[in-house]
Amino acid sequence: MTFAKSVWRLLVAIKDGLVLALLLLFFGALYAALSARPAAPQLREGALLIEMKGAVVEELPKTDLQSVLTGNVGDPELRERDVIRALRGAASDDKIKAVAIDMSKFGGAGFVHAVEIGDAMDVVRKAKKPVLVYGTMLGDRGLLIASHASEIWIDPLGGAYVEGLGGQNLYFGKLLERLKISAHVFRVGTYKDFVEPYIRDSMSEPSREARKALLNTIFAQWRENVLKARPKAQVDKVVADPVGWFKASGGDAAKASLAAGLVDKIGTRAEWGDAIAKIAGEDKASDEVPAPGSFAHTTLAAWLAGHPESKGGRAIGVVTVAGEITDGKAGPGSAGGERIARLIDAASTQKLAALVVRVDSPGGSVTGSEAIRAAILRQKARGVPVVISMANVAASGGYWVSTSGSKIFAQPGTITGSIGIFAVIPSFERALEGWGVKGDGVRTGPLAGQPDVLTGLTPEIEQILQANIESGYGRFLGLVAAARKKTPEEVDRIAQGRVWDGGTARQIGLVDGFGGLDAALADAAGRAGIKDGAWHAVWLGDEVGPLDQIMRQFGAQDNEAGSDDDAALDWTSMVTQRQRAALASAVVGAQRLMAVRGAQAYCLECEAGSPARPASAQMGQTRSWLMVLARWLAL
């Protein structure tokens, strides 16, 4: 027995020793990777290759170890400012002979982002350098970007098309009545239609009026931009008679696109690459036989690494408010109010000359929005000038944050406004009564145990909640009135939850001027008394450390195969992709109702200006809600 125990202790000791050795090797390798100098970027003479995989976004989400280990790294994304900086830099880079943009796996872009990327492509072309784009299925946003190229190549099985803006929304009113679920709505604003899907079975006339005006304006801007870049494109013909246009080419989408002047050439990716090789040179980077369609090039990541941003002069901070605003620490990639407020407060130690707040958000939590606004005001109290730069969307809570700026810049296609507040609380007392479940008890007052989503809300709590929402709306009006030098009554006439395009917003005084981030930075520098060229931007909370770079690389490799599933490679796959996105959107709508939250300043219409989120990203979060809906429908 003693011998057996000795052997067992020896085996356990060997096992513990091996585990310890493996851990030491792992952490040793990790330390070596983090402390090693990054390899010199491969800056080659030839083309700048920009592979637009996934959506173009304002801010990249943080990749953590858990996401990589579980395979939940999300879809690939590109940061807009990286693309623009590389395009502008390529115009004056002697090593860059042409720009090649591969949009075969393009995942979408906000309207303003697409316009600004197109403008940067024009800078390259003005420098007498060709820009060649390759795509498979190019919808409105993809076509908007591609139209600024010297040549648009489309895959023989693909095509370009004009889809237009808008579509159908799902209204759950009758379904909720059938399920005996009560949606208690508290709102202020005739046009604040976020709550309508839960209390109606169709769009209200005020909502229809506002949305029609917004979408018509944005689409007119899209049409003007595309035709200015490609005057011979038969956009109006495609819009007026899409079936006739399509059938005239025998149902061949690529040929129909070519006939309408939406694209310039039909060819495979290899043929596109061969055309670029004639301009930029052949790929001689290795001794191996080059793959078909290869050409001499520098990747986007390598170009950015080899051309770091200037750090000279005084620092102007840039804080990004991107995505839905929440109360916590979410982000980057989403706007956690507590996280962003801490970033702004911590900037006090960085001796910033000025602050630019880049807003690309449809809003969200009122308390999260107020936390960000209050932090900005603390910086202003220290004498730091603050300027607002609106991207695709800065509405509802996004506009709440924007009231803190001394000047607001937007683009004509920016979606803003939506000054209104709402809250939705579901209750299930009627559904439970159908199963013989009813609430009863003793209360010392009408507010005891309220709000109760299982046994219902009392009239007193409903009145208090509505009064609180009205008070919040009054506060919103007051903030806007003070910031825009108007009376609350004047603001109320252009508020009421209505959404405006950037051009109209400037006319009615919600924004001050047109311009992108560069214009906002220059204005902030001027307010700080800094001369041109004597400043540099510091992106608050945007540092990407070695560990994050490693994990992002692993995540990108894991996602390489999966991203193909969401790429629209032909007309049929595009339709399938849209079906998946529509299903995911429906489930998200149900999820929003069930997720009881506080007062919200959120803009539903603002989806028109934002990139479409890949269906796979939404479905991963909402599969459980499909089961919930199925169970309720079975009652």
Side-chain angles (χ1 to χ4, degrees):
M1 194 66 178
T2 303
F3 175 74
K5 288 182 179 179
S6 299
V7 172
W8 176 252
R9 291 193 188 99
L10 177 62
L11 292 175
V12 171
I14 292 173
K15 182 263 295 182
D16 290 343
L18 289 174
V19 170
L20 180 60
L22 289 173
L23 286 173
L24 289 173
L25 286 173
F26 172 77
F27 285 109
L30 183 61
Y31 175 78
L34 294 177
S35 57
R37 284 188 174 184
Q42 299 296 312
L43 301 177
R44 302 189 180 100
E45 185 169 333
L48 170 64
L49 174 60
I50 301 177
E51 295 182 285
M52 284 195 175
K53 293 182 180 179
V56 176
V57 297
E58 188 67 35
E59 183 180 48
L60 293 174
K62 189 174 181 61
T63 304
D64 55 30
L65 183 59
Q66 181 181 355
S67 299
V68 175
L69 294 176
T70 59
N72 187 28
V73 291
D75 294 279
E77 293 177 336
L78 278 174
R79 193 163 52 186
E80 186 230 17
R81 76 170 190 264
D82 292 338
V83 177
I84 290 178
R85 186 164 75 87
L87 285 169
R88 291 174 177 171
S92 57
D93 189 337
D94 292 336
K95 287 188 175 182
I96 301 301
K97 306 301 180 186
V99 172
I101 302 179
D102 185 351
M103 301 184 71
S104 58
K105 298 177 183 177
F106 178 61
F111 179 73
V112 168
H113 283 169
V115 170
E116 292 178 342
I117 291 173
D119 291 343
M121 292 165 64
D122 290 342
V123 174
V124 179
R125 294 183 62 184
K126 287 178 181 178
K128 307 300 181 182
K129 297 182 180 183
V131 180
L132 289 83
V133 167
Y134 170 78
T136 49
M137 291 298 297
L138 294 176
D140 283 2
R141 303 293 166 82
L143 189 57
L144 176 56
I145 294 173
S147 64
H148 290 262
S150 310
E151 287 183 2
I152 304 176
W153 287 63
I154 203 73
D155 189 89
L157 297 178
Y161 59 102
V162 182
E163 55 189 319
L165 297 177
Q168 300 290 315
N169 296 317
L170 289 179
Y171 289 81
F172 300 92
K174 285 188 176 180
L175 172 62
L176 295 179
E177 184 61 33
R178 176 186 170 188
L179 299 177
K180 298 182 179 180
I181 299 175
S182 301
H184 302 270
V185 170
F186 311 95
R187 66 167 171 173
V188 180
T190 303
Y191 299 94
K192 201 66 180 175
D193 61 1
F194 184 95
V195 300
E196 288 189 0
Y198 308 119
I199 59 176
R200 296 178 55 91
D201 59 4
S202 63
M203 181 182 290
S204 69
E205 285 307 312
S207 175
R208 189 182 304 277
E209 170 200 344
R211 190 167 297 199
K212 184 177 181 180
L214 175 69
L215 296 184
N216 284 344
T217 300
I218 298 297
F219 187 71
Q221 292 181 19
W222 178 92
R223 177 184 176 276
E224 179 182 3
N225 190 293
V226 171
L227 289 178
K228 182 178 179 181
R230 300 182 68 82
K232 295 182 180 180
Q234 300 174 16
V235 171
D236 294 336
K237 177 181 178 180
V238 174
V239 172
D241 185 17
V243 175
W245 159 70
F246 200 69
K247 287 187 175 181
S249 296
D252 188 315
K255 291 182 179 178
S257 304
L258 182 64
L262 301 181
V263 303
D264 299 296
K265 295 185 178 181
I266 299 173
T268 65
R269 192 188 185 288
E271 292 170 332
W272 171 73
D274 290 339
I276 297 172
K278 294 178 181 178
I279 303 170
E282 297 180 358
D283 187 5
K284 299 178 181 179
S286 66
D287 296 331
E288 299 179 2
V289 178
S294 60
F295 50 89
H297 69 272
T298 295
T299 65
L300 173 64
W303 193 94
L304 293 171
H307 299 81
E309 294 182 272
S310 171
K311 298 298 182 183
R314 298 182 65 187
I316 297 179
V318 182
V319 62
T320 304
V321 182
E324 183 174 351
I325 299 174
T326 59
D327 291 318
K329 302 177 182 179
S334 56
E338 181 182 347
R339 175 185 64 86
I340 295 174
R342 286 185 178 181
L343 281 176
I344 297 170
D345 288 334
S348 301
T349 62
Q350 300 185 32
K351 298 181 180 179
L352 299 177
L355 181 67
V356 171
V357 182
R358 177 71 165 174
V359 183
D360 192 26
S361 171
S365 163
V366 170
T367 52
S369 303
E370 176 60 16
I372 298 171
R373 190 189 75 90
I376 295 170
L377 292 181
R378 288 192 287 272
Q379 289 293 322
K380 291 182 71 174
R382 296 178 54 249
V384 178
V386 177
V387 176
I388 305 297
S389 172
M390 293 180 171
N392 302 295
V393 176
S396 290
Y399 195 81
W400 185 296
V401 171
S402 300
T403 61
S404 59
S406 300
K407 187 169 184 177
I408 299 176
F409 284 92
Q411 297 283 26
T414 298
I415 294 177
T416 187
S418 192
I419 300 167
I421 297 180
F422 70 91
V424 183
I425 300 177
S427 66
F428 305 89
E429 69 277 7
R430 292 188 297 148
L432 292 174
E433 285 179 12
W435 286 90
V437 179
K438 191 172 182 179
D440 195 7
V442 177
R443 287 198 292 248
T444 59
L447 301 184
Q450 288 291 315
D452 190 332
V453 298
L454 296 179
T455 63
L457 278 62
T458 64
E460 291 83 359
I461 193 64
E462 289 191 331
Q463 292 178 46
I464 287 174
L465 289 172
Q466 179 62 34
N468 183 250
I469 293 298
E470 291 174 2
S471 174
Y473 179 66
R475 176 173 173 77
F476 203 165
L477 293 181
L479 293 176
V480 177
R484 308 309 302 168
K485 296 180 174 56
K486 297 177 179 290
T487 66
E489 293 74 22
E490 289 174 323
V491 176
D492 187 43
R493 286 195 288 270
I494 58 176
Q496 293 291 321
R498 180 153 184 169
V499 180
W500 305 96
D501 64 276
T504 305
R506 185 180 180 183
Q507 294 174 10
I508 61 179
L510 289 180
V511 303
D512 297 299
F514 292 148
L517 182 59
D518 289 343
L521 285 166
D523 185 84
R527 291 173 184 273
I530 306 173
K531 296 180 179 179
D532 291 344
W535 56 269
H536 68 277
V538 175
W539 301 88
L540 305 183
D542 205 29
E543 299 83 6
V544 179
L547 181 58
D548 190 64
Q549 290 178 332
I550 293 171
M551 289 190 293
R552 192 179 296 280
Q553 182 177 2
F554 281 131
Q557 291 173 351
D558 291 341
N559 248 355
E560 192 66 31
S563 63
D564 292 345
D565 296 336
D566 285 321
L569 302 178
D570 57 26
W571 199 271
T572 304
S573 65
M574 181 270 293
V575 173
T576 303
Q577 184 187 68
R578 292 296 176 85
Q579 288 176 331
R580 293 173 60 197
L583 177 60
S585 178
V587 180
V588 167
Q591 184 180 16
R592 282 173 173 163
L593 172 64
M594 301 302 179
V596 180
R597 300 174 178 177
Q600 298 286 300
Y602 188 90
C603 171
L604 184 63
E605 305 96 313
C606 295
E607 295 171 359
S610 302
R613 194 178 180 197
S616 61
Q618 298 186 53
M619 290 304 293
Q621 297 179 10
T622 57
R623 287 191 182 98
S624 61
W625 286 99
L626 284 173
M627 299 299 295
V628 173
L629 284 176
R631 289 170 185 163
W632 279 104
L633 288 169
L635 297 179

